[in-house]
């Protein structure tokens, strides 16, 4: 980076003037945060000023480059899917993507999920995984073995990106979505080829589509009409399909697939323990209502993204036909007991790895 003369005053002033940072400026700022060269006040000023202006594609690119440069390396097969919501919608719904990951893996598709503790929600992915009994203090070698044995692995962002810990307290005190909500899904160190991503705004979804269009693989990016960072079941969603550098947007209505409309109240979660119980009930087949519907729908998105990553020609096939087939696979993953077995086996494997360490 050629930003040796950069200062925080100049950089934050530039953002307050609504002027975008260059890729190298954004990379410098994020590296300062990750390496703890920045003070908490400088970090907060940067995050809020960037949030107020709205991050650009170059700024996201620069920040993600800094995060990647300081990430813990891990080698896993890239023919897999990551399913994740950016968080920050403040709707406090159940942990949809965490549950959907087990449904996808139960359907036979490898999952490399990347997530973290809650910053602006009641229960983040890491929180609910721990409530399900999973251990996070696991070596890279053990994670590779867990993935080989169970077909699913959860890469705890705090462990894979140790520098993020330097910003965690600032994010928690701010209590609002920041660029880190956007960065998380872009910083999976295993770089799986398929991504199913939920985003809280149309603008950020379009930005994510721009960034992911520059990468190998495929992605489905969803923004619910209710603001949810998932494919919602309360109404329609905006859905972007990204593959081979090409982007297509759909006005996606799950009602066309026979999915019943839900209310936000039906989808609202709570503490990690409460959400963990809901996930177990859904995967056990005991919950047949709104919670199962939204989990299965988003699992289907992961399956569609995975198939698209393996065969880009599918981009021209009818989106509802592809989702209908994927919904059937997702439902079979639950009704066959495969999703619950996957969760049980994965939790036990993480516990064994942590005990062995």
């Amino acid at each position: 980076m050629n930003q040796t003369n950069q200062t925080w005053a100049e950089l934050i002033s530039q953002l307050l003037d609504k002027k975008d940072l260059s890729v190298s400026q954004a990379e410098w700022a994020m590296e300062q945060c990750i390496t703890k060269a920045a003070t908490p006040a400088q970090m907060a000023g940067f995050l809020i000023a960037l949030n107020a202006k709205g991050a650009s594609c170059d700024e996201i690119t620069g920040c993600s480059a800094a995060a990647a440069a300081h990430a813990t390396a891990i080698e896993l097969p890239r023919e897999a899917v990551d399913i994740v919501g950016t968080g920050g919608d403040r709707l406090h719904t159940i942990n949809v993507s965490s549950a959907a990951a087990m449904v996808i893996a139960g359907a036979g598709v490898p999952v490399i999920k990347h997530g973290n503790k809650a910053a602006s929600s009641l229960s983040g992915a890491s929180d609910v995984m721990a409530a399900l009994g999973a251990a996070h203090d696991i070596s890279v070698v053990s994670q590779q073995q867990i993935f080989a044995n169970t077909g699913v692995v959860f890469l705890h962002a705090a462990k894979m990106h140790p520098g993020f810990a330097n910003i965690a307290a600032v994010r928690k005190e701010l209590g609002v979505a920041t660029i880190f909500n956007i960065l998380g899904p872009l910083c999976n160190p295993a770089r799986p080829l398929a991504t199913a991503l939920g985003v809280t705004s149309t603008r950020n979804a379009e930005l994510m589509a721009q960034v992911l269009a520059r990468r190998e693989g495929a992605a489905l990016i969803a923004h619910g009409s209710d603001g949810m960072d998932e494919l919602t079941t309360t109404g329609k969603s905006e859905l972007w399909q990204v593959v081979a550098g090409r982007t297509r947007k759909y006005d996606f209505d799950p009602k066309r697939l026979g999915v019943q409309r839900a209310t936000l109240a039906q989808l609202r979660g709570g503490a990690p323990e409460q959400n963990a119980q809901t996930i177990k009930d859904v995967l056990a087949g005991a919950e047949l209502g709104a919670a199962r519907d939204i989990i299965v729908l988003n699992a289907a998105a992961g399956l569609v993204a995975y198939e698209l990553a393996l065969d880009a020609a599918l981009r021209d096939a009818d989106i509802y036909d592809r989702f209908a087939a994927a919904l059937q696979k997702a439902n079979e993953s639950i009704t066959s007991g495969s999703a619950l077995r996957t969760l049980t086996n994965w939790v036990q494997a993480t516990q064994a790895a942590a005990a062995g360490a």
Side-chain angles (χ1 to χ4, degrees):
M1 288 174 288
N2 297 315
Q3 295 293 329
T4 54
N5 296 323
Q6 182 67 59
T7 69
W8 280 111
E10 292 169 342
L11 184 143
I12 293 173
S13 294
Q14 185 173 329
L15 292 173
L16 292 174
D17 288 339
K18 304 297 183 183
K19 296 177 182 177
D20 293 343
L21 304 180
S22 66
V23 172
S24 58
Q25 282 180 305
E27 189 173 354
W28 176 86
M30 184 54 62
E31 183 160 34
Q32 292 286 300
C33 293
I34 290 174
T35 60
K36 214 173 183 178
T39 67
Q42 290 166 337
M43 293 180 199
F46 167 62
L47 293 177
I48 292 300
L50 182 59
N51 200 48
K53 179 187 72 68
S56 69
C57 187
D58 280 350
E59 288 163 345
I60 296 170
T61 299
C63 287
S64 61
H70 291 274
T72 302
I74 184 169
E75 291 293 331
L76 292 169
R78 296 187 64 202
E79 291 77 17
V81 62
D82 185 7
I83 179 165
V84 60
T86 58
D89 62 15
R90 305 187 69 83
L91 295 176
H92 304 308
T93 53
I94 57 175
N95 295 89
V96 174
S97 61
S98 297
M102 298 303 162
V103 176
I104 294 168
V109 170
V111 175
I112 304 174
K113 183 164 172 55
H114 185 236
N116 209 345
K117 294 176 68 65
S120 57
S121 64
L122 297 177
S123 176
S126 292
D127 302 308
V128 79
M129 294 298 193
L132 286 164
H136 291 323
D137 191 16
I138 300 170
S139 70
V140 167
V141 172
S142 292
Q143 290 282 38
Q144 292 169 323
Q145 191 61 51
I146 289 169
F147 180 75
N149 292 341
T150 68
V152 61
V153 69
F154 177 72
L155 302 181
H156 183 45
K159 188 171 182 65
M160 305 311 296
H161 299 277
F164 283 10
N166 298 327
I167 310 106
V170 172
R171 292 183 65 201
K172 190 71 174 179
E173 287 185 26
L174 290 176
V176 298
T178 67
I179 192 171
F180 281 91
N181 294 90
I182 301 174
L183 284 181
L186 299 174
C187 294
N188 188 323
R191 299 176 297 125
L193 291 177
T195 303
L197 170 63
V199 183
T200 58
S201 71
T202 298
R203 182 186 185 279
N204 284 344
E206 290 173 341
L207 276 171
M208 297 294 253
Q210 291 174 31
V211 174
L212 290 168
R214 301 175 179 179
R215 298 186 177 188
E216 186 181 3
L220 289 184
I221 305 165
H223 168 56
S225 58
D226 51 12
M228 195 180 298
D229 64 333
E230 318 279 359
L231 275 177
T232 188
T233 53
T234 70
K236 296 181 180 181
S237 294
E238 295 175 290
L239 181 65
W240 288 258
Q241 173 182 276
V242 182
V243 63
R246 289 172 53 181
T247 302
R248 180 176 179 179
K249 184 181 177 184
Y250 298 91
D251 183 29
F252 187 83
D253 189 350
K255 198 171 183 180
R256 289 184 55 178
L257 295 164
V259 178
Q260 295 295 310
R261 286 280 195 260
T263 66
L264 281 173
Q266 290 174 306
L267 302 175
R268 195 153 285 130
E273 294 74 20
Q274 178 183 336
N275 290 359
Q277 187 59 54
T278 299
I279 289 173
K280 287 188 281 190
D281 288 344
V282 169
L283 299 190
E287 168 60 63
L288 300 176
R292 172 165 169 156
D293 288 345
I294 195 169
I295 288 168
V296 168
L297 179 64
N298 282 274
L303 294 171
V304 170
Y306 178 75
E307 292 170 353
L308 191 62
L310 298 184
D311 183 4
L314 290 172
R315 65 189 171 202
D316 298 319
D318 184 85
I319 190 71
Y320 289 102
D321 287 345
R322 285 183 279 157
F323 260 86
L327 274 172
Q328 183 176 352
K329 292 178 183 177
N331 275 305
E332 288 175 355
S333 175
I334 293 175
T335 56
S336 68
S338 182
L340 184 59
R341 285 193 299 273
T342 298
L343 172 63
T344 301
N345 292 340
W346 172 74
V347 168
Q348 291 175 347
T350 65
Q351 292 173 344

